[in-house]
Amino acid sequence: MSLSSLGEYLLIDHLFPYLYLSSLLALTCTSRFYARICSDPILWKRKLERDFNYFPSSDTARISGFKLIYKGLHRPQVYLWGHLASGRRGELDATPPTNHAYMYPVQLKMNRRIVTLVPSGWSYHAIDENGNIYIWGTLNGLEGERRVEEGMAFSESHCTASVPTQLELPTRFTAISCGRIHATALDSKHRVWIFNRWGRPNLLTFTGTLEDQRRRNPLIANTKIIQVACGYYSFVAFLTDDGRVFISWTTDREFLRQDTAMNTALDEADNGVSGRLVSGVIKCAPIPIDVDATLIPELPSDLPKLHNPEGEDDDDGRAPKIVKIAAGRAFIVALTDQGHVLRFDLSGGIVPEDVEELKNDIISNVRQWTYLPQLCEIEDVKEDPNFRPEVDGQPITVSQQDFKITHVSAHMDSAVVYSTGAFSTVIVAGMTMVRGGGRHMQRTILPELQNKNIISVTASEYHYAALDTNGTVYTWGTDLCGSLGLGLLDRTADGFPAVGASVSEPTPVQIHPNNPGRRTFCFSLTAAGWHTAALGFDLDDHCDPMEGPVSSPEQPVASTSQRQSSWRFWKR
């Protein structure tokens, strides 16, 4: 029995991702079949997940370029721009301006391979290839800043880390999501962690709805949480692999009772030093919280047929399943495997009393999913004059089969949905409050981003950023202290950068404005508050991927034999 007899699917998805690079290189020299298999994009996507803890499908709609990113992740770079006060500056080489406004991208020096980067209102959260979380800035800037020295505890939400600092936790993390003043993370065991204080995070355990449903229905006994989404202020939504959405609030009475009791016990037991800073590492003291998760009602039964699930020729009449979610200030937006986009309203649930009322509304099915055909049905979308699909500069007619929303994101009062491919389309949905607590949606199609293979769009309070498949970053919206990264757009009378200059069209960002010949490929993009960040690598760095360690000697990336390769391999 030969390897080829096992089938391409088994080789690409389950066997070859575990091989050393030297073994893959040897296989490419044996036959055309193995040369083709070892260049398959899905194989390199799996290698990214296994070797670097990088999951490209979680934050982008990328379908190609994974082999290039694998090479680039041997020397990844972190770029920040915008308002970098409250500790967000980290260890930048650039001289800090008087108003903390960085008008262009500046590189943050980190001695780790960062593969995930997400900002909150006044801070950054990063995950490295080993699944460790690093933070810097201030988690809750609404309460001011409290500088923490060696030996002091990160026991309050307004503690400030002025340099990237590792959170020591007994698990490996795969994803993170941030609201304005809190964050939530998913670990490799599919457990949910909530960070209201960096030194004392909450580990959620489910003794209510989620576990009850698993016990009652043996068909979903093995379900697991696959995505987390942080609301703007106080809620966290999580998606299970069977397409159900649950929600929990950090302002829920029971959550607050358990959290307060455990924090008080920690303070009394060790004089408040749990979660202290030791040798540049925060020794976290996890606080378990038993959560009665609230199940969002099922999808409407009358959703129209748009597409077959990905990778299937026929759906056999199966109902649509939610595969991605995103959260804003008071709503969740969901995407199904058949391309439907829906919204669930969560307005009114911030203080404990309102949370109880909102939970009762959800449990009693008073609140339901709202289908948004104006964001996902081609007959609605093409009525917008800004919808201009083209191929090679020539207008074309697009059918529903050609138009499928593949990704969603949200922040504050905006949601963004987009399709991929040669005639990709980006649609911004502004959701504003109206009388009676309902929501009105205003749709905006961006012609400047159409037909440009956009793979990621992120929204902040006042500006937007987009990333295309070639690694180019675009920004637009209101420029607050350099949040667009486009340089000095306007000055005040006394010569300082003006706050509030507006850019209406998506504009490319120069990652190295003082060195335009230096080519940088960005593979991840994120924004929040008045700041923006990107992860990238230099395309002109023609060094062998094994040359020079990026991680510290205490935490090596991998053995030399594991990462050995020939440069010829990367030129294929």
Side-chain angles (χ1 to χ4, degrees):
M1 182 177 180
S2 64
L3 274 177
S4 58
S5 65
L6 296 177
E8 294 185 16
Y9 168 78
L10 186 61
L11 296 177
I12 291 172
D13 269 337
H14 301 288
L15 181 58
F16 282 11
Y18 291 87
L19 297 181
Y20 294 155
L21 292 182
S22 56
S23 299
L24 288 177
L25 174 60
L27 278 171
T28 63
C29 301
T30 60
S31 71
R32 292 180 178 178
F33 172 79
Y34 287 121
R36 178 174 58 83
I37 292 295
C38 292
S39 295
D40 190 281
I42 299 301
L43 168 61
W44 292 99
K45 182 180 179 181
R46 298 288 180 261
K47 290 286 288 179
L48 284 169
E49 294 170 356
R50 182 186 180 277
D51 294 353
F52 287 110
N53 193 44
Y54 174 57
F55 299 84
S57 297
S58 64
D59 64 346
T60 74
R62 180 178 294 280
I63 58 175
S64 63
F66 302 120
K67 186 176 179 180
L68 174 65
I69 295 175
Y70 189 96
K71 170 186 177 289
L73 277 182
H74 287 81
R75 293 181 181 273
Q77 298 153 2
V78 178
Y79 294 95
L80 312 176
W81 61 93
H83 191 234
L84 301 182
S86 303
R88 280 168 286 177
R89 180 176 177 272
E91 295 177 303
L92 293 176
D93 288 341
T95 302
T98 55
N99 62 348
H100 300 280
Y102 289 80
M103 313 307 291
Y104 288 107
V106 285
Q107 185 175 347
L108 176 69
K109 301 297 184 181
M110 291 193 68
N111 193 30
R112 290 291 184 273
R113 286 186 173 100
I114 299 301
V115 297
T116 300
L117 180 62
V118 183
S120 59
W122 293 268
S123 62
Y124 285 99
H125 298 71
I127 299 177
D128 72 3
E129 62 178 335
N130 298 312
N132 299 311
I133 293 179
Y134 294 81
I135 55 87
W136 64 98
T138 307
L139 187 57
N140 185 355
L142 293 174
E143 298 183 2
E145 300 177 26
R146 174 174 170 261
R147 298 286 171 171
V148 176
E149 305 291 339
E150 179 75 11
M152 297 173 61
F154 276 80
S155 57
E156 298 174 310
S157 63
H158 60 282
C159 292
T160 298
S162 57
V163 298
T165 305
Q166 181 183 340
L167 304 183
E168 186 177 88
L169 288 162
T171 188
R172 181 175 68 89
F173 290 90
T174 59
I176 196 163
S177 174
C178 293
R180 193 184 188 201
I181 58 176
H182 69 304
T184 183
L186 188 67
D187 70 15
S188 58
K189 299 177 182 178
H190 302 279
R191 298 179 300 181
V192 178
W193 297 70
I194 292 180
F195 297 88
N196 289 307
R197 297 164 303 272
W198 283 324
R200 299 177 181 180
N202 300 119
L203 172 60
L204 302 192
T205 59
F206 302 98
T207 57
T209 304
L210 184 57
E211 292 301 331
D212 286 344
Q213 293 217 6
R214 286 174 175 166
R215 284 192 293 268
R216 287 197 299 266
N217 187 348
L219 295 178
I220 61 173
N222 296 319
T223 58
K224 57 188 178 184
I225 296 172
I226 60 172
Q227 187 192 350
V228 291
C230 229
Y232 189 67
Y233 275 119
S234 63
F235 73 86
V236 175
F238 30 94
L239 173 68
T240 60
D241 57 356
D242 60 354
R244 294 176 301 147
V245 179
F246 292 82
I247 189 169
S248 180
W249 288 263
T250 59
T251 52
D252 177 79
R253 281 197 183 98
E254 182 58 21
F255 188 105
L256 291 173
R257 184 193 68 78
Q258 295 182 51
D259 186 55
T260 301
M262 288 294 292
N263 264 292
T264 301
L266 286 174
D267 288 339
E268 293 175 349
D270 58 12
N271 296 319
V273 297
S274 291
R276 64 189 181 277
L277 182 66
V278 179
S279 300
V281 176
I282 300 176
K283 304 288 186 176
C284 295
I287 296 177
I289 300 288
D290 291 330
V291 175
D292 186 6
T294 302
L295 174 65
I296 301 295
E298 295 183 355
L299 295 173
S301 59
D302 58 350
L303 291 176
K305 174 67 178 296
L306 297 183
H307 301 272
N308 291 329
E310 184 177 358
E312 299 184 20
D313 297 328
D314 188 4
D315 63 0
D316 297 327
R318 284 177 293 171
K321 183 179 78 170
I322 295 175
V323 291
K324 292 186 189 318
I325 58 173
R329 172 153 54 181
F331 67 91
I332 299 171
V333 61
L335 175 68
T336 75
D337 56 353
Q338 299 180 23
H340 306 94
V341 179
L342 302 98
R343 180 191 68 211
F344 195 89
D345 181 36
L346 293 169
S347 57
I350 297 181
V351 300
E353 295 78 10
D354 294 338
V355 168
E356 289 303 314
E357 182 178 351
L358 178 54
K359 287 171 62 177
N360 290 332
D361 284 350
I362 296 173
I363 294 171
S364 59
N365 292 331
V366 172
R367 303 201 185 198
Q368 298 281 343
W369 289 104
T370 300
Y371 177 49
L372 304 175
Q374 59 270 54
L375 300 183
C376 57
E377 290 193 20
I378 189 62
E379 293 303 319
D380 275 316
V381 172
K382 69 183 182 181
E383 292 179 0
D384 194 305
N386 287 326
F387 181 68
R388 307 165 190 168
E390 298 177 352
V391 171
D392 297 329
Q394 298 298 318
I396 61 171
T397 300
V398 177
S399 66
Q400 184 66 61
Q401 192 62 33
D402 301 321
F403 178 80
K404 182 180 181 181
I405 299 299
T406 58
H407 222 74
V408 295
S409 60
H411 186 78
M412 201 174 178
D413 291 326
S414 294
V416 183
V417 303
Y418 43 103
S419 63
T420 57
F423 40 88
S424 59
T425 300
V426 176
I427 306 175
V428 178
M431 300 182 184
T432 55
M433 296 297 297
V434 297
R435 182 174 299 177
R439 288 186 172 268
H440 170 71
M441 191 193 71
Q442 180 180 3
R443 181 183 68 187
T444 302
I445 296 179
L446 301 168
E448 297 84 6
L449 294 181
Q450 198 155 3
N451 316 308
K452 286 194 174 181
N453 285 298
I454 298 299
I455 59 167
S456 178
V457 183
T458 181
S460 180
E461 283 92 331
Y462 306 102
H463 73 286
Y464 298 86
L467 178 68
D468 70 17
T469 191
N470 296 317
T472 301
V473 173
Y474 302 83
T475 59
W476 69 101
T478 302
D479 186 67
L480 297 171
C481 295
S483 57
L484 298 185
L486 301 176
L488 184 58
L489 302 178
D490 197 6
R491 288 185 181 273
T492 61
D494 53 4
F496 288 104
V499 175
S502 181
V503 176
S504 59
E505 297 184 359
T507 305
V509 175
Q510 290 184 316
I511 300 299
H512 303 286
N514 297 324
N515 186 6
R518 181 179 173 184
R519 299 184 304 151
T520 295
F521 183 98
C522 292
F523 62 90
S524 181
L525 180 67
T526 186
W530 295 11
H531 47 287
T532 314
L535 299 177
F537 51 85
D538 286 344
L539 290 174
D540 300 320
D541 185 11
H542 294 301
C543 64
D544 187 280
M546 274 307 301
E547 181 184 325
V550 175
S551 290
S552 66
E554 291 78 17
Q555 287 188 311
V557 174
S559 64
T560 301
S561 61
Q562 183 176 354
R563 291 278 176 90
Q564 272 187 330
S565 64
S566 166
W567 182 243
R568 297 191 310 273
F569 187 52
W570 300 104
K571 293 174 123 179
R572 291 179 180 271

